[in-house]
Amino acid sequence: MKKKLVVLTGAGVSAESGIATFRDADGLWEGYDVMEVASPQGWRKNPELVLEFYNQRRKNAHAVKPNPGHTILAELEKYFDVHIITQNVDDLHERAGSTNVLHLHGKLFESRSTLDEKLIYPIKGWQLNKGDKCERGSQLRPNIVWFGEPVPMMENAIEETLQADIFLVVGTSLVVYPAAGLVDLVPEDVPVIVVDPKLPAVRKRPNLHLIEDKASTGMVKVRELLLEKYL
């Protein structure tokens, strides 16, 4: 029976493929104040701006490809029962071949009703426009968890974390909560591996492996470690 490898991924994994992040630019995201384009207040104030912002993000995501950080995680399914919990909204994990991906903060290529959040629709292409409505007649919005909104998939993520045989953190600064709190829920006897060029503060524990590297090259080291020590 394969060991369960639970992986928490963040913006650093997608950044190497060309997906912009906002935390490296003083709260600006591609020139936008993040609260203007990723909050319920921003949506109420200027829905056209929010729709255009995510249209451009989708257009960008269509143009990029998975990098070795993504593909190695997919390859590890040959040896481990891999479950990815990602803070990223793009589909690069899936495009690389990963089959168990939980998106904590929503999905870029989905829209949902502003009237009933359970009404979710795939977005074909990259555009979602004013006037695009759900079956109940309300405007569609990006299916993204914005700042100030609850994280509905958090309970599932906690359940996965508690069942981990190995817990891997890749490309996240561990400052966005509640996602960052998952590492503190990992059972004490479970190995924890952290990969990031700027290693986040993680409390000392048995079997803690810190790899100060970007996702693409750091995952090469992780693969070697996993296959040699934990297979």
Side-chain angles (χ1 to χ4, degrees):
M1 190 172 181
K2 293 179 180 178
K3 288 182 178 179
K4 184 167 185 172
L5 172 63
V6 178
V7 188
L8 175 64
T9 70
V13 180
S14 293
E16 289 192 67
S17 289
I19 300 287
T21 66
F22 73 90
R23 289 190 176 270
D24 295 329
D26 300 320
L28 295 176
W29 202 345
E30 297 176 347
Y32 297 94
D33 181 323
V34 68
M35 297 309 289
E36 295 290 316
V37 294
S39 72
Q41 303 96 297
W43 173 253
R44 288 192 294 269
K45 179 182 175 182
N46 194 341
E48 290 90 350
L49 175 66
V50 175
L51 289 169
E52 176 58 20
F53 172 74
Y54 284 100
N55 282 346
Q56 292 305 315
R57 292 197 69 203
R58 268 183 232 102
K59 189 176 183 180
N60 172 233
H62 267 305
V64 303
K65 296 179 180 180
N67 63 64
H70 297 105
T71 55
I72 291 172
L73 283 171
E75 290 166 6
L76 285 172
E77 291 190 11
K78 298 174 187 174
Y79 311 101
F80 299 92
D81 179 20
V82 181
H83 292 254
I84 296 174
I85 302 167
T86 187
Q87 298 171 80
N88 301 331
V89 297
D90 60 67
D91 61 350
L92 291 175
H93 281 304
E94 289 90 343
R95 283 163 57 188
S98 290
T99 58
N100 295 305
V101 185
L102 185 157
H103 287 266
L104 274 180
H105 297 154
K107 296 183 178 182
L108 185 59
F109 290 96
E110 287 183 351
S111 65
R112 70 173 170 87
S113 168
T114 49
L115 186 66
D116 182 352
E117 63 184 31
K118 295 178 182 176
L119 294 177
I120 297 170
Y121 307 89
I123 297 174
K124 297 176 181 178
W126 55 271
Q127 290 184 304
L128 179 65
N129 299 310
K130 192 76 181 290
D132 291 342
K133 297 181 179 181
C134 77
E135 60 206 62
R136 296 180 62 184
S138 76
Q139 173 64 42
L140 291 171
R141 55 160 275 185
N143 188 27
I144 303 291
V145 177
W146 287 329
F147 288 95
E149 294 185 323
V151 183
M153 297 303 291
M154 195 63 201
E155 287 187 16
N156 302 65
I158 291 171
E159 187 176 339
E160 296 281 14
T161 300
L162 294 174
Q163 295 173 356
D165 294 312
I166 307 161
F167 195 83
L168 169 62
V169 180
V170 189
T172 173
S173 55
L174 293 178
V175 296
V176 178
Y177 283 83
L182 288 172
V183 69
D184 294 320
L185 300 178
V186 178
E188 197 67 20
D189 60 337
V190 170
V192 172
I193 307 167
V194 181
V195 182
D196 199 80
K198 298 177 182 177
L199 286 170
V202 182
R203 67 177 177 84
K204 291 184 179 179
R205 54 183 292 144
N207 296 317
L208 175 62
H209 305 273
L210 301 176
I211 299 175
E212 193 170 359
D213 205 345
K214 60 185 180 181
S216 59
T217 48
M219 279 306 301
V220 175
K221 301 171 186 176
V222 169
R223 178 173 55 193
E224 292 175 359
L225 174 66
L226 289 172
L227 298 184
E228 288 176 11
K229 192 165 184 177
Y230 296 113
L231 191 60

